[in-house]
Amino acid sequence: MHLQLINAISYFIHLEEEEKEWISSRFIIKKYKKNDYFLREGQVCREVGFIQSGLVRYCSIRENGEDLTLDFNKEMEFTCNYASFLDHSPSTSGIQCLESSTILCISWNDLQELYTHVREGQKFGRLVCEFLYVQAIRKVNSLYNNGPEQRYLQFLNQYAEIASRVPQYYISSYVGIKPPSLSRIRKRLAE
């Protein structure tokens, strides 16, 4: 049941058999229905999840009620509001399941123990943080430097395998435009 998780961690670090068993014992299997929340906006994020199956979106509701889509995670990816998780502050965004999802979860305390129990645990934590930092910088640069069509093409490039699984209004929100504008871009690109 935890083979995908072990493979994902092994992408970053080498794991001994005993470490694989120890890690598997710390990740708890949780099942979510479509539209359930892994994390609600305003809650403190107390666990990191590894998506075994399913799809989630990071979302936030503006004061005017507008529902924003900030990002996505799919199978074989970790999900968490890392800022909330690290400093125990209320989350500024929610994580909603767009499909029925199976997520393997580890608590903050168990993750701290992983860093010390697994020989390369600290290295794993550092490499994941570096990976997330680079992703965040690229996204911010794209928002400031690219137009909507370029951001849509980047979405298709980064999330090609989930584009058909995500409602168009979430994609348009992620790209930063209204649904009719996304329809025009898609039509223009199809010509």
Side-chain angles (χ1 to χ4, degrees):
M1 190 71 168
H2 289 71
L3 182 59
Q4 293 172 316
L5 168 69
I6 297 303
N7 288 340
I9 294 173
S10 295
Y11 174 80
F12 292 98
I13 61 172
H14 173 76
L15 292 172
E16 300 294 335
E17 285 305 314
E18 178 275 328
E19 293 172 326
K20 293 176 185 179
E21 291 174 23
W22 186 91
I23 289 169
S24 295
S25 74
R26 295 307 193 273
F27 278 83
I28 308 301
I29 300 167
K30 294 187 177 182
K31 296 195 179 279
Y32 297 86
K33 295 177 185 169
K34 181 178 179 177
N35 297 322
D36 281 353
Y37 281 83
F38 175 78
L39 175 70
R40 289 194 178 273
E41 192 171 350
Q43 289 179 324
V44 174
C45 187
R46 301 194 185 282
E47 56 193 3
V48 173
F50 175 79
I51 304 171
Q52 189 172 45
S53 65
L55 176 65
V56 301
R57 77 177 180 113
Y58 292 71
C59 52
S60 182
I61 306 294
R62 285 190 172 169
E63 287 183 18
N64 66 3
E66 183 182 5
D67 184 348
L68 298 177
T69 297
L70 309 171
D71 210 349
F72 302 96
N73 282 129
K74 61 188 182 312
E75 295 89 355
M76 297 292 293
E77 293 181 346
F78 291 93
T79 188
C80 178
N81 181 306
Y82 292 97
S84 173
F85 183 76
L86 294 174
D87 69 9
H88 311 289
S89 62
S91 176
T92 57
S93 62
I95 302 174
Q96 181 185 31
C97 296
L98 295 180
E99 302 172 346
S100 293
S101 301
T102 300
I103 301 178
L104 307 177
C105 300
I106 188 168
S107 70
W108 189 89
N109 288 335
D110 282 343
L111 186 61
Q112 304 316 302
E113 199 175 326
L114 182 148
Y115 292 151
T116 58
H117 184 85
V118 174
R119 185 173 43 88
E120 293 184 349
Q122 293 286 332
K123 179 181 176 184
F124 171 68
R126 178 180 55 82
L127 291 174
V128 169
C129 285
E130 289 173 358
F131 175 79
L132 293 171
Y133 176 76
V134 169
Q135 280 188 318
I137 293 300
R138 284 184 180 151
K139 181 161 184 181
V140 168
N141 283 337
S142 178
L143 288 171
Y144 282 110
N145 297 317
N146 298 330
E149 186 170 317
Q150 183 62 32
R151 289 194 306 270
Y152 177 64
L153 290 170
Q154 286 173 333
F155 167 82
L156 291 177
N157 184 50
Q158 183 176 357
Y159 296 113
E161 65 277 8
I162 67 165
S164 64
R165 295 163 55 189
V166 177
Q168 293 301 304
Y169 53 92
Y170 289 150
I171 296 173
S172 64
S173 175
Y174 175 79
V175 171
I177 57 177
K178 300 292 182 199
S181 298
L182 179 61
S183 293
R184 285 190 294 276
I185 289 171
R186 292 179 71 209
K187 183 178 178 185
R188 189 169 49 250
L189 292 173
E191 293 174 349

